[in-house]
């Protein structure tokens, strides 16, 4: 897997990367951490509010909360819980109007996106989870007393069909991201000493226990296209740091260490691209939580770019450009940026070392989107006039190799200023044994 140490990309600004003549620095200006960042390229947030406000005037943004909106593994469908207005019956004495939750499926792979409501006789609870499959059916997890039931919903003419799949008796059950195979669905049940991985759709006899992982696990990132290797963030019952591990679902849940940046650091995996091997990581190994990147199977260290920590906002990656075989540094990464002005979109490539900040469409399902292989980002949205839409955003180009922006603080390059050089603990790469993923070699 990934043999990881720490490499701070601010060091590259002082001479680690080649300059225009092949051996100097990147031309970035090293500024104090208190210096304001450059304003983003476009306004974002509701109403197009300006984002060029001084960071001192912006309160720290809380971590983003994942919305009840899920895209299928191939991006062809999406599902969410939608709210319908319901007028109360005057005879019951309640008066007024309320709302009822129902499942809504979006079809995104046709010439024009459209939404299909999937209501049943009773409204859904707002804490239910939905997950679209590649065939257009929508899996829903509901809490019923001390059980969690799972069913498949699908349109049947004017009504909604429901296929019950069974139930899991446990205190907690959380759906994992859609499996890459498009037909299976998995869920986590975290107990006091171990976490169970359940196959809740795609099995032969209803929900099936497929793995028991020691410790309390969260997250969930798929590492391959077959839906076999699953990365989880694990913490042992006695406490200690959170470390990402790889779970082989075809070998009884065999666990392999995945991230070991520093002995006492919390190392979580946020995203992985099976084609290029690009990993997006959040770790406090540099002294506080930072967003970094590495390469699956590489011995190179994890890097923590300065441009991915703009002041007074929360930055969370949500999609990686596919199809960049063995080219992790060229992958475009989409990020959700949350600040006092709302939520907007960031686009970044490891090779470009530049965070492009762009306005999101009104009604964007924040933190959701899918890349095409050609570098076009589709952002699903719904506003007052469009019930189901996809805004297309082409990834901005970075500077051409050998062309470096001015190093002046007021230069119009759009780069985020680098922070001051801070000595960081550097660890030797930790060998992680035999990598569970084979058949792909990453140079370096």
């Amino acid at each position: 897997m990934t043999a990881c140490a720490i490499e701070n990309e601010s060091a590259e600004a002082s001479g680690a990367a080649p300059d225009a003549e092949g051996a100097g620095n990147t031309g970035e200006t090293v500024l104090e951490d208190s210096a304001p960042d450059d304003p983003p390229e476009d306004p974002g947030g509701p109403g197009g509010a300006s984002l060029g406000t001084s960071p001192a005037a912006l309160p720290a943004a809380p971590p983003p909360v994942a919305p009840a909106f899920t895209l299928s593994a191939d991006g062809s469908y999406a599902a969410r819980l939608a709210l319908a207005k319901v007028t109360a019956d005057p005879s019951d004495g309640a008066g007024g109007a309320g709302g009822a939750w129902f499942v809504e499926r979006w079809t995104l792979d046709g010439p024009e996106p459209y939404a299909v409501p999937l209501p049943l006789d009773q409204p859904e609870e707002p804490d239910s989870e939905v997950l679209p499959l590649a065939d257009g059916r929508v899996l829903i997890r509901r809490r019923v007393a001390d059980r969690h039931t799972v069913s498949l919903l699908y349109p049947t003419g004017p009504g909604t069909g429901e296929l019950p799949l069974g139930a899991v008796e446990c205190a907690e059950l959380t759906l994992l991201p859609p499996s890459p195979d498009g037909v299976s669905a998995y869920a986590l049940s975290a107990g006091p000493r171990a976490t169970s991985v359940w196959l809740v759709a795609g099995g032969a006899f209803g929900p099936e226990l497929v793995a028991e992982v020691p410790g309390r696990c969260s997250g969930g990132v798929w590492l391959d296209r077959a839906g076999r290797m699953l990365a989880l963030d694990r913490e042992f019952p006695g406490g200690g740091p959170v470390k990402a591990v790889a779970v082989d679902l075809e070998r009884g849940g065999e666990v392999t260490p995945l991230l070991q940046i520093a002995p006492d650091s919390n190392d979580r995996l946020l995203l992985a691209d099976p084609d290029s091997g690009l990993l997006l990581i959040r770790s406090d190994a540099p002294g506080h939580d930072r967003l970094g990147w590495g390469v699956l199977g590489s011995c190179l260290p994890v890097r923590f770019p300065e441009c991915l920590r703009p002041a007074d906002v929360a930055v969370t990656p949500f999609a990686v450009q596919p199809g960049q075989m063995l080219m992790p540094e060229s992958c475009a990464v989409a990020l959700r940026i949350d600040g006092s002005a709302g939520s907007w979109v960031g686009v970044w490539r490891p090779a470009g070392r530049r965070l492009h900040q762009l306005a999101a469409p009104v009604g964007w399902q924040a933190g959701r989107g899918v890349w095409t292989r050609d570098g076009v980002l589709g952002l699903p949205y719904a506003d007052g006039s469009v019930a189901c839409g996809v805004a297309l955003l082409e990834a901005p180009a970075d500077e051409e190799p050998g062309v470096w922006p001015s190093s002046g603080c007021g230069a119009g390059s759009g780069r985020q200023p680098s922070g001051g050089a801070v000595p960081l603990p550097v660890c030797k790469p930790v060998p992680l044994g035999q990598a569970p993923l084979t058949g792909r070699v990453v140079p370096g």
Side-chain angles (χ1 to χ4, degrees), residues 175-200:
L175 294 181
L176 287 168
S179 173
D181 65 8
V183 298
S184 304
Y186 292 85
L188 285 184
S189 174
R193 304 194 62 84
T195 299
S196 302
V197 182
W198 290 87
L199 174 64
V200 295

Side-chain angles (χ1 to χ4, degrees), residues 2 15 43 49 83 87 126 145 214 221-222 229 236 239 260 266 271 291 297 335 341 348 357 368 384 386 399 422 442:
T2 306
L83 190 62
T87 303
V221 176
W222 295 101
M229 301 304 305
F236 283 109
Q260 295 280 356
N266 294 293
L271 282 180
L291 189 61
L335 306 106
W348 165 83
Q357 301 189 44
R368 296 295 183 264
V386 178
E399 292 84 4
V422 178
V442 177

Side-chain angles (χ1 to χ4, degrees), residues 31-418:
L31 303 176
E32 295 297 328
D33 284 343
S34 59
D37 289 340
D38 289 343
E41 299 171 15
D42 289 303
S50 173
L51 303 177
T53 309
S54 170
L58 297 177
V65 177
F69 186 95
T70 308
L71 287 158
S72 61
D74 61 357
S76 57
Y77 293 99
R80 69 169 181 169
L81 288 178
L83 190 62
K85 293 183 179 179
V86 177
T87 303
D89 186 353
S91 63
D92 63 9
W101 294 97
F102 67 95
V103 177
E104 185 178 70
R105 189 199 72 189
W106 291 21
T107 301
L108 306 177
D109 60 349
E112 184 175 348
Y114 63 93
V116 176
L118 297 174
L120 295 171
D121 295 336
Q122 291 185 341
E124 304 292 348
E125 294 296 327
D127 63 348
S128 299
E129 291 182 292
V130 292
L131 187 150
L133 303 182
D135 60 5
R137 295 182 296 176
V138 176
L139 182 137
I140 182 168
R141 178 208 57 81
R142 305 180 180 101
R143 179 186 289 274
V144 181
D146 58 349
R147 301 182 304 149
H148 297 263
T149 64
V150 286
S151 299
L152 288 174
L153 305 182
Y154 52 92
T156 57
T160 300
E162 180 174 8
L163 175 63
L165 299 178
V168 178
E169 294 188 8
C170 60
E172 301 177 22
L173 189 71
T174 304
L175 294 181
L176 287 168
S179 173
D181 65 8
V183 298
S184 304
Y186 292 85
L188 285 184
S189 174
R193 304 194 62 84
T195 299
S196 302
V197 182
W198 290 87
L199 174 64
V200 295
F205 306 103
E208 175 185 350
L209 180 64
V210 295
E212 284 275 359
V213 182
R216 186 174 183 86
C217 298
S218 59
V221 176
W222 295 101
L223 299 175
D224 64 342
R225 294 289 183 195
R228 170 181 175 177
M229 301 304 305
L230 174 67
L232 298 173
D233 300 327
R234 178 173 70 174
E235 181 180 11
F236 283 109
V242 177
K243 299 289 185 182
V245 297
V247 181
D248 190 336
L249 299 182
E250 290 190 3
R251 299 187 66 177
E254 181 179 271
V255 177
T256 305
L258 180 63
L259 292 177
Q260 295 280 356
I261 301 179
D264 298 325
S265 62
N266 294 293
D267 308 323
R268 295 176 171 86
L269 182 63
L270 305 182
L271 282 180
D273 176 55
D275 295 335
S276 63
L278 179 64
L279 305 178
L280 277 299
I281 298 158
R282 190 175 296 282
S283 174
D284 59 6
H288 55 277
D289 267 344
R290 292 280 299 273
L291 189 61
W293 68 280
V295 179
L296 189 66
S298 173
C299 292
L300 295 176
V302 171
R303 301 184 180 187
F304 296 91
E306 290 293 326
C307 66
L308 293 185
R309 59 165 187 170
D312 300 307
V313 295
V315 179
T316 307
F318 63 86
V320 181
Q321 180 185 1
Q324 308 300 298
M325 300 300 294
L326 302 180
M327 299 173 60
E329 293 193 359
S330 66
C331 289
V333 179
L335 306 106
R336 170 179 172 172
I337 306 176
D338 292 276
S340 61
S343 299
W344 59 99
V345 182
V347 176
W348 165 83
R349 296 181 185 87
R353 302 172 187 158
R354 176 182 180 185
L355 177 61
H356 303 271
Q357 301 189 44
L358 308 169
V362 175
W364 175 42
Q365 302 294 315
R368 296 295 183 264
V370 60
W371 286 102
T372 68
R373 291 175 177 264
D374 298 328
V376 177
L377 178 63
L379 300 174
Y381 71 96
D383 58 22
S385 58
V386 178
C388 171
V390 177
L392 300 180
L393 186 155
E394 189 169 354
D398 294 310
E399 292 84 4
E400 296 181 2
V403 178
W404 304 98
S406 170
S407 60
C409 180
S413 66
R415 284 182 184 267
Q416 301 293 335
S418 297

